[in-house]
Amino acid sequence: MRILLAYDSLSGNTKMVADLILERLEALGHDVTAFRVAPDADYPLDESFDLYMLGAWTVDYGRTPPDMKDFIAELGEKPKHIALFGTGETQWGIENFCGAVDRMEKFFGTDYPTLKIEQMPHTNADYEEINNFVQQVLKKKERVVMTSIEIKSLEEFQNHMASEELVYVDFWKDNCPNCKMLDLSFQEFNNSAQAEKVKVLKVKLEEMGENFFFEQDIRQTPTLVLYKGGEELTRLNGFIPPNKIEEILEQNA
């Protein structure tokens, strides 16, 4: 997995946390681009990453430090998969402890786990908390990867259709607001017990072509089709809430 790890550190505490996170990620074989944010830095934001991890110390009254705010502005968009961590001091008030993490979490709207460390990591409990944070973040990301497969070719699509298991196929395209909303529905659906009963394929118009969509009788996007053994069981068009995705699956499981 390609991971961007960016952090802002004042006294070195957040850097220590970032270094420990980096160590664990690399030990697990992940390709990590790690750096400390700084004024006028040239960030590798033209590259593609599967997961973003941002860390920051907290300015007075729970504010996000300026260099991290500038970096977030340079991102240009809010990454879909982002986990946040930081350090702080409770002596300034528990309401402001790691306030930068709280503010970034609210800004990005992420539901990934967060990590907050008091000052520098120095106890076994701190190291265990950091390790658990990394494991929980990767588990959440890998669950999304496992339950959502991007189809790149006709052969790949046909191979999945030959399976006897239940398969949801999400036919979508770029610049489609309802397609993005359906992605959010699947993010919530993936946390349900029903998610283990079905494979989810994502088929993009720009990837597979208009002829393929015509052959599958896809007249609008998004269109969600449930198959079993290559046979269509049902289809839905437009935005679909998570409970409807579960309901259709329960009816056909």
Side-chain angles (χ1 to χ4, degrees), residues 57-128:
W57 61 287
T58 293
V59 185
D60 296 338
Y61 305 109
R63 293 180 290 118
T64 306
D67 288 345
M68 178 53 72
K69 289 198 289 188
D70 289 344
F71 172 74
I72 291 172
E74 286 200 39
L75 282 176
E77 61 180 8
K78 299 177 182 179
K80 184 176 179 180
H81 303 287
I82 185 165
L84 307 165
F85 63 93
T87 58
E89 298 186 25
T90 54
Q91 65 174 318
W92 305 120
I94 191 65
E95 69 277 7
N96 294 323
F97 172 62
C98 290
V101 174
D102 295 332
R103 287 171 180 255
M104 290 191 294
E105 182 182 23
K106 183 177 181 180
F107 173 78
F108 286 110
T110 180
D111 59 355
Y112 272 78
T114 58
L115 172 68
K116 300 177 181 179
I117 296 293
E118 169 79 10
Q119 298 184 340
M120 71 175 70
H122 63 283
T123 68
N124 288 335
D126 289 335
Y127 299 135
E128 183 177 354

Side-chain angles (χ1 to χ4, degrees), residues 148-154 156-158 160-161 167-174 176 179 182-183 186 200-214 216 218 220-225 227:
S148 180
I149 302 170
E150 295 186 5
I151 299 300
K152 302 292 186 180
S153 68
L154 176 60
E156 187 179 5
F157 178 78
Q158 291 174 335
H160 286 291
M161 287 298 97
V167 180
Y168 261 136
V169 181
D170 174 13
F171 294 92
W172 67 289
K173 68 178 181 180
D174 281 333
C176 166
C179 296
L182 184 56
D183 275 345
F186 267 111
V200 179
L201 309 182
K202 292 185 67 64
V203 179
K204 187 178 179 182
L205 172 63
E206 290 82 359
E207 189 77 41
M208 297 297 290
E210 292 183 359
N211 287 340
F212 176 79
F213 269 49
F214 178 78
Q216 303 302 318
I218 305 303
Q220 69 179 81
T221 55
T223 293
L224 183 64
V225 185
Y227 296 91

Side-chain angles (χ1 to χ4, degrees), residues 5 7 14-24:
L5 174 62
Y7 64 91
T14 308
K15 181 182 185 303
M16 290 180 64
V17 176
D19 288 343
L20 290 168
I21 291 174
L22 175 62
E23 179 183 306
R24 283 156 177 74

